[in-house]
Amino acid sequence: MAESPEEVAVLVQRVVKDINNAFKRNPHIDEIGLIPCPEARYNRSPIVLVENKLGVESWCIKFLLPYVHNKLLHYKQRKQWLNKEELIDITCTLLLLNPDFTTAWNVRKELILSGTINPVKDLHLGKLALTKFPKSPETWIHRRWVLQQLIQENSLPTLVTKGNLEMAPTERIQRLVKEEMDVCCEAAGRYPSNYNAWSHRIWALQHLAKLSTKILLDELSSTKHWVSMHVSDHSGFHYRQFLLKSLIGRTVTDCTVQMHNQLNNQLAPSLPKAEENDEAEAACVEEQRPDHPFLLKEEVELCTDLINSYPGHETLWCHRRHVFYLQHHLKNKLILPSTWALAADSSDGTLNNTHSGGALGHVTQAMDIDGLTESSKQGYTQEIKRLKRAPLQDSVGLEAEYRFIDQVLSTCRDVEQARFAGAYRKWLGSFLGQ
């Protein structure tokens, strides 16, 4: 066992070199982990590579992590010089063991900007770090920075063609979006209520997919099974709420653009070619326009099935409230909150219910189990006042909700389930002003 500083330095240098050689031997490593091993039993490397899995024996961490940490700090303090290859190896080793060390990621940013590191390698490094530390906020932040660099430098073709894939630009973007969705899904499965992973997923939809209707619908379909297997994960259901709101807001935007184009055509004569383009654009918008009532109806059916199958989960009841809120806006033909469109263009992409504007504040009020508080009443807008004065046009849906509540209360044996059902009934009354 190494004890003196010289012996520790020799040991750590060997381990760092072994990690670097492991990536050279197998560039398709897809997972890292620690192997419980209190002490070195054999005179061999603590780095174990089996198929595509990289393991590090735990006994060497107490020597490896402090050494590479201090060495990088000395470099930043200009107390020690390291060449580019040494910086790459040290930061790689350090981030695999401690991905929340911001200084290491900043050094990697400098290496990317200088052209020393291919940005794709940092995406792969971050993906590996997330297999061990799926909630690491610094890793997600750096990942978004790398993707932004690729977008700004118009390097999306370079990113995808590394595997000799010749695809059209649209297919390249779809492939990149799918890769990010897969990374987020894996991280969300490794850590419950992984806020950072779901926030990154929203960011990817906003900045990479540009809230494409097709991708939004695909995501709504693909996450249905995931939330069914994680009924207490509020972040996953909040993501589905974001998808539904984005689909509604996206369609409203498309309709506005279409009406604007039609108005321009009426005011000014257009060339035949321009008319053909307008017709093609209108057909495209019509083809991608989703059936909102059907989507919301399916979401209610999903909530009903999950609530009956898994009683006593508050997340499911909160999600049902939000879906009813969306249904109420559609059936009463109310103008959708303007902040939904702003949320679609938001740069932070976080799962935050406290966006600017009053409309999303109504969602927060709607999610209050005990009804509206005094402070909430002060935040009423003219829209909510009109909503309470307006005749109820979705009485059929309301009756169905009350029947569902009665059915739950008459059959459930779970105390929490009964409490959530009663709270939902109270919320319906306070929200609709009955």
Side-chain angles (χ1 to χ4, degrees):
M1 182 68 65
E3 294 181 357
S4 66
E6 292 78 10
E7 291 176 327
V8 170
V10 172
L11 170 64
V12 170
Q13 291 172 7
R14 188 186 72 177
V15 174
V16 172
K17 184 177 180 181
D18 289 342
I19 293 176
N20 184 44
N21 291 335
F23 282 104
K24 290 181 179 179
R25 293 199 308 270
N26 187 354
H28 302 293
I29 296 174
D30 56 11
E31 186 176 357
I32 62 170
L34 292 180
I35 303 175
C37 186
E39 59 183 14
R41 299 180 180 179
Y42 308 100
N43 187 19
R44 67 180 185 187
S45 172
I47 306 303
V48 180
L49 179 62
V50 178
E51 296 181 352
N52 294 333
K53 315 300 179 184
L54 180 66
V56 182
E57 294 182 355
S58 59
W59 65 265
C60 72
I61 301 299
K62 61 182 179 181
F63 302 110
L64 182 60
L65 186 56
Y67 182 87
V68 293
H69 180 273
N70 293 332
K71 199 165 187 177
L72 185 62
L73 288 182
H74 289 163
Y75 167 79
K76 293 296 294 182
Q77 296 170 359
R78 301 183 184 276
K79 295 180 180 180
Q80 183 178 2
W81 169 253
L82 297 174
N83 59 42
K84 292 182 179 180
E85 291 298 327
E86 290 176 327
L87 278 176
I88 294 174
D89 294 343
I90 287 178
T91 53
C92 176
T93 302
L94 181 55
L95 291 170
L96 290 177
L97 301 176
N98 179 21
D100 286 329
F101 188 44
T102 309
T103 302
W105 286 121
N106 290 338
V107 171
R108 303 282 295 192
K109 288 182 176 68
E110 295 174 357
L111 294 173
I112 290 175
L113 293 176
S114 65
T116 304
I117 296 180
N118 188 334
V120 183
K121 291 186 177 181
D122 257 28
L123 290 179
H124 183 61
L125 176 63
K127 181 179 178 180
L128 286 179
L130 291 171
T131 61
K132 177 63 178 174
F133 307 94
K135 201 178 179 181
S136 169
E138 294 299 329
T139 304
W140 291 112
I141 292 172
H142 184 75
R143 191 173 190 86
R144 287 192 284 273
W145 182 87
V146 172
L147 291 171
Q148 285 176 332
Q149 295 302 309
L150 292 169
I151 295 173
Q152 293 173 2
E153 297 172 5
N154 196 22
S155 300
L156 287 178
T158 305
L159 176 65
V160 183
T161 55
K162 290 298 177 180
N164 296 324
L165 298 176
E166 297 296 336
M167 295 182 291
T170 303
E171 295 176 344
R172 295 184 186 127
I173 295 177
Q174 291 177 351
R175 173 67 178 273
L176 179 59
V177 171
K178 183 180 183 304
E179 291 177 355
E180 291 304 303
M181 298 299 105
D182 291 341
V183 171
C184 294
C185 184
E186 184 177 356
R190 291 178 180 270
Y191 194 100
S193 297
N194 194 337
Y195 176 93
N196 295 314
W198 292 105
S199 295
H200 180 82
R201 196 163 184 163
I202 289 178
W203 184 93
L205 288 180
Q206 293 172 333
H207 294 81
L208 298 179
K210 302 299 181 182
L211 293 179
S212 165
T213 301
K214 179 182 182 303
I215 295 180
L216 290 174
L217 290 173
D218 291 342
E219 282 291 286
L220 194 65
S221 176
S222 63
T223 56
K224 184 176 182 179
H225 175 72
W226 196 96
V227 297
S228 299
M229 301 297 293
H230 302 78
V231 293
S232 292
D233 196 315
H234 179 74
S235 296
F237 284 97
H238 191 287
Y239 179 72
R240 290 184 67 82
Q241 296 166 17
F242 168 81
L243 295 175
L244 292 170
K245 289 188 292 186
S246 297
L247 284 169
I248 295 174
R250 181 77 177 188
T251 305
V252 170
T253 302
D254 291 341
C255 292
T256 303
V257 173
Q258 186 178 3
M259 293 174 59
H260 180 71
N261 292 338
Q262 292 176 353
L263 180 61
N264 290 338
N265 293 337
Q266 294 175 359
L267 295 178
S270 58
L271 298 176
K273 184 176 181 180
E275 292 178 355
E276 294 177 0
N277 293 337
D278 292 339
E279 292 177 358
E281 181 179 357
C284 180
V285 171
E286 183 67 27
E287 180 181 357
Q288 294 184 349
R289 186 177 301 165
D291 186 353
H292 298 137
F294 178 75
L295 291 177
L296 294 175
K297 179 183 177 182
E298 280 194 330
E299 199 69 14
V300 171
E301 293 175 353
L302 174 64
C303 288
T304 301
D305 180 59
L306 294 179
I307 288 174
N308 290 330
S309 301
Y310 305 97
H313 290 272
E314 186 177 11
T315 299
L316 301 176
W317 289 96
C318 290
H319 185 60
R320 190 180 187 95
R321 296 180 186 190
H322 198 96
V323 175
F324 181 84
Y325 174 82
L326 296 177
Q327 284 183 321
H328 185 81
H329 273 77
L330 286 178
K331 290 181 179 180
N332 289 277
K333 298 180 181 180
L334 298 176
I335 299 176
L336 293 176
S338 59
T339 49
W340 290 4
L342 295 177
D345 298 328
S346 175
S347 59
D348 55 4
T350 56
L351 298 175
N352 192 352
N353 280 334
T354 57
H355 291 84
S356 60
L360 285 183
H362 305 157
V363 181
T364 305
Q365 294 170 2
M367 300 296 286
D368 187 358
I369 289 181
D370 296 327
L372 302 178
T373 60
E374 291 298 327
S375 59
S376 300
K377 293 179 181 178
Q378 297 176 0
Y380 272 9
T381 62
Q382 293 299 321
E383 178 185 354
I384 287 296
K385 292 179 179 179
R386 288 195 301 269
L387 173 64
K388 287 186 173 293
R389 291 196 301 264
L392 188 61
Q393 300 180 22
D394 55 346
S395 57
V396 176
L398 183 62
E399 291 177 0
E401 291 302 294
Y402 280 128
R403 285 197 304 269
F404 172 72
I405 295 173
D406 293 338
Q407 179 262 328
V408 170
L409 292 175
S410 62
T411 58
C412 77
R413 299 180 180 178
D414 187 276
V415 177
E416 291 298 309
Q417 180 85 322
R419 184 170 71 88
F420 295 144
Y424 183 47
R425 181 196 295 274
K426 184 177 181 180
W427 174 83
L428 287 173
S430 64
F431 176 63
L432 298 175
Q434 295 183 349

